[in-house]
Amino acid sequence: MVATPKELEAELVQLRAENEQLKRDLADTQMLYETTTEHGEAIEDELAEKNIALEVIQARLKEELNEALRYVMGLLPPPMKEPLKAEWLYIPSSELGGDSFGYHWIDPDHLAVYLLDVCGHGVGAALLSVTALNTLRGETLSGVDFRCP
């Protein structure tokens, strides 16, 4: 069947309308793509900034933990040569462990020796350990004879 000029013209009008709709759809798709790409790039930039901030915080936290470890290590007693020999090696299980020990002379006849194994490890356990060390070393519990454990 052969189309008439009027039918061909109607089909041409229809094709032109479809073509215009396709152009609008393409423009919308391009705009959506550009917007999505820009949004994705903004998210990537924000994520990169947050990663840098996180790295700075982690470095600061690591330094603070190292400083706390140096403090805890400074609380441990020096090796003793006389009248008894006492040497030690302290290796915490984490950056800042809670286990510790100490010894000191209460009086010329009594040596206090203590090993602290607090529950858990890390900062909370280390704080508890430091408190216990200071209490034992300073003999700060009232009404307690530190010669009698």
Side-chain angles (χ1 to χ4, degrees):
M1 174 159 141
V2 177
T4 66
K6 200 172 202 177
E7 291 171 334
L8 288 174
E9 189 174 329
E11 189 176 339
L12 181 60
V13 168
Q14 177 70 26
L15 289 173
R16 284 183 179 156
E18 289 176 12
N19 187 36
E20 288 303 315
Q21 183 60 45
L22 287 173
K23 286 180 183 178
R24 286 191 297 274
D25 290 348
L26 176 62
D28 289 347
T29 302
Q30 285 176 327
M31 183 184 304
L32 180 61
Y33 173 77
E34 290 170 5
T35 302
T36 303
T37 302
E38 289 170 4
H39 183 67
E41 290 170 355
I43 289 174
E44 286 178 359
D45 291 345
E46 184 179 349
L47 183 59
E49 289 173 12
K50 289 186 184 221
N51 281 338
I52 290 169
L54 181 59
E55 288 172 0
V56 168
I57 290 169
Q58 285 176 325
R60 190 180 76 216
L61 182 57
K62 184 175 182 172
E63 181 52 36
E64 287 178 6
L65 284 172
N66 286 335
E67 191 174 314
L69 176 61
R70 288 189 294 274
Y71 173 75
V72 169
M73 294 291 290
L75 293 176
L76 300 177
M80 187 168 40
K81 305 248 187 251
E82 294 182 7
L84 303 170
K85 184 175 181 181
E87 293 184 18
W88 50 266
L89 174 64
Y90 180 75
I91 303 173
S93 61
S94 61
E95 285 93 0
L96 185 59
D99 299 342
S100 59
F101 67 93
Y103 45 83
H104 67 273
W105 289 98
I106 296 174
D107 60 35
D109 297 323
H110 295 90
L111 176 67
V113 178
Y114 37 92
L115 174 64
L116 303 171
D117 185 2
V118 295
C119 60
H121 295 279
V123 175
L127 291 172
L128 180 59
S129 180
V130 165
T131 300
L133 275 177
N134 286 331
T135 300
L136 291 168
R137 182 181 292 156
E139 299 178 17
T140 57
L141 295 174
S142 62
V144 173
D145 182 357
F146 282 86
R147 294 171 295 173
C148 297

